């Protein structure tokens, strides 16, 4: 069974793409224009939501970026990016993994909508408010990164992938100038990883 990932450049699908590259797993990649439900309407026949990522592995079908990363760690060879359930940091690892999307990426999508996809002076205060919300929600991460190089287990895991994407996305929305120095340094350090660079370049080259 071959894994397949549908991806848009710069989108949350970068999380599982990066994880696949870190783990060296075999997969097929299909790069779509963003947003695909507008610019590639037949994609709705594949994923009725019209969102990315979309991931298949045999009968498995998934649409949530952090959940796909979690799934990959359950596959042979995937445990190098996970923590075992008896690890002291296991709960923290899970929390960072889901904090990345539920707490950090959600407000960013509102900023994206009203500053890029549907720019509107009337909605600008809404976008500004959600940008402030995102920055405020970095407080826990800022404090953690004052004392730690990674998020859990003193090593790189999918939690770092999930959180780094949120910071990377924030930079594309011109929010990085508000990051704390340790958080900005963490973002730069994570993006220096060879697998991130491959994943980012792969999506862009396929879209050209």
């Amino acid at each position: 069974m071959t894994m397949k990932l549908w991806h848009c450049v710069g989108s949350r699908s970068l999380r599982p793409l990066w994880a696949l590259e870190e783990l060296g797993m075999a997969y097929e990649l299909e790069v779509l224009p963003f947003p695909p439900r507008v610019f590639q309407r037949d994609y709705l026949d594949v994923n009725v939501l019209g969102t990315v990522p979309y991931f298949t592995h045999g009968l498995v079908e998934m649409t949530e970026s952090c959940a796909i990363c979690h799934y990959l760690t359950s596959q042979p060879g995937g445990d190098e990016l996970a923590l075992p359930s008896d690890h002291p940091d296991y709960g923290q690892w899970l929390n960072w993994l889901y904090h990345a999307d539920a707490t950090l990426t959600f407000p960013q999508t509102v900023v994206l909508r009203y500053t890029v996809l549907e720019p509107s002076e009337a909605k600008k205060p809404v976008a500004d408010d959600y940008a402030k919300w995102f920055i405020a929600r970095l407080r826990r991460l800022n404090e953690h990164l004052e004392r730690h190089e990674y998020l859990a287990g003193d090593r790189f895991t999918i939690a770092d992938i999930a959180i780094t994407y949120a910071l990377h996305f924030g930079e594309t929305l011109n929010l990085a100038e508000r990051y704390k120095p340790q958080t900005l340094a963490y973002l730069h350090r994570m993006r220096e990883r060879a697998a991130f660079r491959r994943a980012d370049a792969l999506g862009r080259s396929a879209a050209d």
Side-chain angles (χ1 to χ4, degrees):
M1 296 184 297
T2 301
M3 298 178 183
K4 183 170 182 179
L5 178 69
W6 284 258
H7 169 61
C8 288
V9 172
S11 75
R12 281 179 271 195
S13 51
L14 182 58
R15 285 175 173 139
L17 180 56
W18 181 5
L20 285 162
E21 285 293 319
E22 288 280 355
L23 293 168
M25 293 179 170
Y27 66 94
E28 295 179 10
L29 182 68
E30 185 160 342
V31 179
L32 305 169
F34 184 82
R37 61 185 174 274
V38 174
F39 295 111
Q40 191 160 326
R41 298 287 297 176
D42 60 351
Y43 177 58
L44 292 168
D45 296 331
V46 177
N47 173 14
V48 68
L49 295 177
T51 58
V52 288
Y54 184 67
F55 172 85
T56 60
H57 185 208
L59 297 178
V60 172
E61 300 177 356
M62 304 181 71
T63 61
E64 295 298 324
S65 62
C66 293
I68 297 167
C69 291
H70 199 172
Y71 175 82
L72 293 175
T73 65
S74 73
Q75 301 305 296
D79 57 354
E80 66 182 75
L81 292 186
L83 295 184
S85 60
D86 59 352
H87 193 287
D89 282 355
Y90 179 72
Q92 177 170 255
W93 173 72
L94 281 179
N95 197 68
W96 283 121
L97 178 60
Y98 293 100
H99 178 84
D101 218 33
T103 300
L104 298 184
T105 309
F106 165 67
Q108 293 175 310
T109 61
V110 179
V111 178
L112 176 69
R113 178 175 180 179
Y114 292 129
T115 63
V116 178
L117 300 180
E118 303 171 22
S120 164
E121 281 300 314
K123 296 292 186 179
K124 187 176 183 301
V126 176
D128 291 344
D129 189 47
Y130 274 82
K132 291 175 185 176
W133 179 0
F134 164 66
I135 296 300
R137 293 302 183 271
L138 291 176
R139 188 177 298 114
R140 186 170 183 268
L141 179 64
N142 294 335
E143 292 177 357
H144 181 86
L145 292 175
E146 287 181 343
R147 307 181 303 278
H148 302 281
E149 183 177 359
Y150 299 107
L151 296 179
D154 296 321
R155 64 182 177 87
F156 181 82
T157 69
I158 55 169
D160 294 289
I161 288 176
I163 290 288
T164 296
Y165 172 75
L167 297 173
H168 175 71
F169 184 26
E171 186 177 70
T172 69
L173 296 173
N174 300 314
L175 300 176
E177 62 186 23
R178 306 187 210 178
Y179 293 173
K180 296 292 185 182
Q182 69 272 22
T183 302
L184 188 60
Y186 169 79
L187 169 61
H188 291 166
R189 189 168 66 250
M190 293 300 102
R191 290 193 305 200
E192 283 300 309
R193 295 183 66 88
F196 173 87
R197 298 171 94 170
R198 287 196 305 271
D200 189 48
L202 180 61
R204 294 182 189 284
S205 62
D208 292 340

